[in-house]
Each structure stands twice: as structure tokens, then as C-alpha cells.
Amino acid sequence: MTANPILLTQQLLRCPSMTPIEAGTLTLVGEFLERRGFSIERLDSGDVSNLYARRGKSFPHLCFAGHTDVVPPGDITRWSVDPFKGEVRDGNLYGRGVVDMKGGIGAFMAAVDAYLLKNAKSEGSLSFLLTTDEEGPAIDGLRYVVEQFKARGEKIDACLVGEPTNTTKVGDTLKVGRRGSLNAQITVQGKAGHVAYPHLAKNPIIPLLNYLKGLLEAPLDAGMVNFDPSHVEVSSIDVENPTTNVIPFEATAKFNIRYNPTHTFDSLSQYLQEKANEMGLNRDGFTHTLQIRGSGDAFLCEDEALQSLVREAVLKTTGITPAFSTGGGTSDARFIKDICPVIEFGLVNATAHQTDEHIAVEEIHLLTAAYLEIIDRFFDESTLKQ
């Protein structure tokens, strides 16, 4: 009898693994895989736990990557169930992280179990790469592990990341790349004063708003194949001014840029600074500081054979031809793409991070079947000969 993906997911859900707490999740996965012939290696860094489990030493090598950490459940009284119990109700499995992405991990564990029962002497290698630092800073998680792999020459032919990629039903969307993401904070300083005597002050709010207006009104690009146009989104404007009769000394804004491969972190950083200089934020009595942090440049999986393999496997098991997408937020795929081609495919993302996060039980079974088909096709004799 093959492993049940629902029971495996429930076991993971009962571990309250909020970033970066492992809470027994990697131990659970490791013990399951060790019983199936996997070699287990922990690559922990700081307070982050990382698991690398590999079965086989030959090639081709297919890796499943993901994270067991979850975001906090928020106000538990707003949940209709215990977020860490893994309760099934009306055909849905509830729990924090069931969608993002413990359900995906449970499905791949079950798929691997089913595959090995049929192919105990399969050639090639299967591996799992899991972290407890995806929802947080993402510094000591797979970013760290990828650097370790580079240093020791660890080779992977293809990676499947189990992030929730679908919008309405398992099978409708594959992530074949991701947009880049840049966060910036700009602070403009002027001269404080009384609102009745504006000529004696330098109001920093005005040039700050002009700067933001300039960024929002000037298109960064028109988009490209597989990518929407890059865009700026303002997330905060603050002056910390509790009064109505004082012109503040400084004003701060925060914004994010999601960008396609037309740009890089370095090129956008230069653009933002040049824009600030053009807008006069360092003259006429004003000064400014600009802090910029990137979480990864845009990328696209250009391995057409891998794209086709995954797409055809998903079509066969779900009856849906999946769309290729690069939208949404960031994921650990942005690190993995430095060492091998990577595609993301998991559950439906509709309730990810929400109160009462849940997914239909049948969707987890469907994802398990799709994962098994992907593994079968990857290690098919014709694939091994390529």
C-alpha cells in the first residue's frame, strides 16, 4: 500500500513550524525518506534548518524543493478550526500552510513512495531539498544551501518547486520563471517650520510626492514574452507628524518594483538614484537618502524539454493544459535557478496565508497523481538516453 498524501500532510500541519522553527517537520520528512533508501543530510545555518535527502548517485537527477515554514496564523479566534490540527471538514483539509506548501510536500512524498514501489531499482537520482526559511528573510535557507552546492559541485538536472501555482484548480498554471523584486525606501529632508510661514521652511513632502509621481507616470517597459510590464507600487508614505500646524523636517516613502528581465537590480538602482537627482532632491535646501534592497532578479526557465515534460504530465493527469506564468510573488526558485532548470507546480493558491487556509482533499490526490506522472516521465528510458 502506498503512502497517503492526506495523512502525510496532516502530520506536517500538526507541527507549528512558523519561520524559522522546524517543529519536527524536517525530522518527519527525513525519517520517511530514510526508510525508503534516501541518504539524509542536514545543512543548517544559524537558526534555520535545511534538509537534503537524496536517493541514488547516478543521473539524471530530479529534485523536489520547498519549505516547511509557515506564516503565523494570526488571531486564532477567527479560525473555524485549530490551524495546527489538520482537520478535514466537508471534503477540505484545513490548516496553516496546507496550501503554502505542506500539501505539496505531502503529495510529493506520496508520489515518490508510489514510484519506488513500482521502480525499486530505478536508475538516476531523486532528492528533496527543504528549508524552514522561505517565508522569512530567506538568507540561511535555500540561498545558503545553493551556495554550498556550488562550492562542492553538487549537480541537479532539474528541480520542481511545490509552491501553490494554480489559481482555480490543480493543473491550470505552471510557474516557468519569476519577476524580480526590489524594495526601496527614500527619505527627503528639508527644513521644519510653521505652516503660516512656508517661506521660512522647506517642506520635504512636495519633492517626495513629485519623485513618486515621476516614477509612477514613466513606464519602465512595455513587457515581454512571458512577462507583464514592470511596475512600481507605493506601499507607504510617512512624515510622523502628529500636528497640523508644523511643516515636517523629513518625509519617507517605501515602494516596491516587480520587474521583468529587461532590468536588473543594478540597472534599476541606478535609475532610481538618477531620477532622484533629476527631481532636485539634493538641491534647493533638500537632501535625501535612498535605501534599496533586492530579493532576486527576474528569470525564465528556458529548458523547453522540461517545460514540455511537466506540461504533458499535468495535462494527462488533470485534463487541463496548464498556462505558463511568471506572475505572483517570489520563491526559492530564484536561488535554485542558478544551479539547474526549475519549474514550480503545486496546489491552488486561493487561500494561502488566509484565515481558514484550506484545500479540497481531492486536489491533493490530483497533485500527487501529477507528481507521479512527472517522475515517471522524467526517468523514462527515453529520457535517460537523452
Side-chain angles (χ1 to χ4, degrees):
M1 180 180 295
T2 59
N4 187 324
I6 307 304
L7 296 180
L8 289 171
T9 301
Q10 287 178 309
Q11 290 178 320
L12 290 169
L13 290 173
R14 290 165 185 159
C15 302
S17 53
M18 290 173 285
T19 312
I21 302 170
E22 187 263 348
T25 53
L26 298 187
T27 299
L28 189 158
V29 175
E31 291 177 349
F32 175 91
L33 295 175
E34 192 169 30
R35 292 193 296 270
R36 286 152 180 82
F38 283 75
S39 298
I40 309 301
E41 181 180 7
R42 290 291 290 266
L43 293 164
D44 299 349
S45 176
D47 59 357
V48 172
S49 301
N50 301 304
L51 172 76
Y52 180 50
R54 178 169 176 170
R55 187 181 192 276
K57 297 182 180 180
S58 59
F59 295 90
H61 177 186
L62 175 64
C63 177
F64 176 84
H67 62 94
T68 62
D69 62 315
V70 301
V71 297
D75 186 352
I76 296 179
T77 64
R78 295 184 178 276
W79 285 67
S80 64
V81 297
D82 185 331
F84 297 112
K85 188 176 180 180
E87 181 176 338
V88 176
R89 180 183 294 182
D90 299 325
N92 294 307
L93 177 57
Y94 286 78
R96 172 55 83 224
V98 65
V99 169
D100 189 11
M101 53 165 277
K102 292 181 176 180
I105 295 172
F108 203 81
M109 291 168 69
V112 165
D113 184 62
Y115 176 78
L116 293 177
L117 283 176
K118 298 186 303 178
N119 303 275
K121 297 182 179 180
S122 172
E123 296 193 39
S125 297
L126 271 167
S127 66
F128 281 70
L129 183 56
L130 302 174
T131 185
T132 63
D133 180 35
E134 194 273 346
E135 300 289 6
I139 294 173
D140 290 312
L142 295 196
R143 181 199 296 262
Y144 166 80
V145 174
V146 164
E147 292 305 313
Q148 299 304 304
F149 280 9
K150 289 179 181 178
R152 75 188 201 187
E154 190 78 20
K155 301 297 183 183
I156 298 172
D157 292 299
C159 182
L160 185 66
V161 176
E163 289 286 349
T165 57
N166 302 283
T167 57
T168 59
K169 188 172 180 59
V170 166
D172 64 36
T173 307
L174 300 177
K175 298 284 188 184
V176 295
R178 290 279 185 166
R179 297 173 297 176
S181 179
L182 175 155
N183 291 301
Q185 175 176 303
I186 184 166
T187 298
V188 180
Q189 296 179 332
K191 181 180 180 182
H194 198 294
V195 295
Y197 305 101
H199 59 289
L200 299 178
K202 289 287 183 180
N203 191 335
I205 298 175
I206 307 305
L208 177 64
L209 293 179
N210 288 337
Y211 177 75
L212 296 175
K213 183 172 183 289
L215 292 181
L216 294 170
E217 291 184 345
L220 290 169
D221 55 68
M224 58 188 298
V225 176
N226 293 311
F227 287 91
D228 291 332
S230 304
H231 74 277
V232 179
E233 198 66 37
V234 179
S235 57
S236 175
I237 300 176
D238 301 292
V239 295
E240 298 184 0
N241 186 3
T243 69
T244 59
N245 62 351
V246 174
I247 295 171
F249 165 67
E250 67 180 19
T252 298
K254 297 176 183 178
F255 58 92
N256 175 269
I257 300 179
R258 295 297 165 112
Y259 58 95
N260 59 48
T262 304
H263 311 278
T264 65
F265 172 79
D266 290 338
S267 68
L268 284 173
S269 298
Q270 181 178 348
Y271 169 78
L272 294 174
Q273 187 58 65
E274 289 175 350
K275 202 74 173 176
N277 295 336
E278 289 176 11
M279 300 298 293
L281 300 189
N282 270 338
R283 63 173 186 264
D284 300 327
F286 295 107
T287 59
H288 81 278
T289 57
L290 181 61
Q291 298 175 313
I292 306 172
R293 181 174 61 86
S295 63
D297 279 334
F299 72 93
L300 181 69
C301 174
E302 298 181 350
D303 188 324
E304 295 183 359
L306 180 62
Q307 290 181 0
S308 178
L309 183 154
V310 176
R311 180 178 56 204
E312 293 303 316
V314 172
L315 172 60
K316 179 179 178 181
T317 50
T318 69
I320 302 172
T321 300
F324 288 170
S325 172
T326 58
T330 59
S331 76
D332 281 337
R334 69 190 190 272
F335 307 129
I336 299 168
K337 54 89 176 171
D338 290 341
I339 56 174
C340 69
V342 57
I343 288 179
E344 300 174 66
F345 179 60
L347 291 168
V348 176
N349 55 33
T351 65
H353 294 200
Q354 294 184 11
T355 298
D356 276 352
E357 182 177 347
H358 66 277
I359 190 71
V361 167
E362 64 180 21
E363 293 282 281
I364 297 179
H365 284 297
L366 191 60
L367 180 64
T368 303
Y371 281 161
L372 178 56
E373 184 66 21
I374 291 170
I375 299 170
D376 275 333
R377 288 173 179 254
F378 187 85
F379 291 108
D380 184 85
E381 184 177 354
S382 61
T383 303
L384 289 169
K385 288 180 179 178
Q386 291 179 0

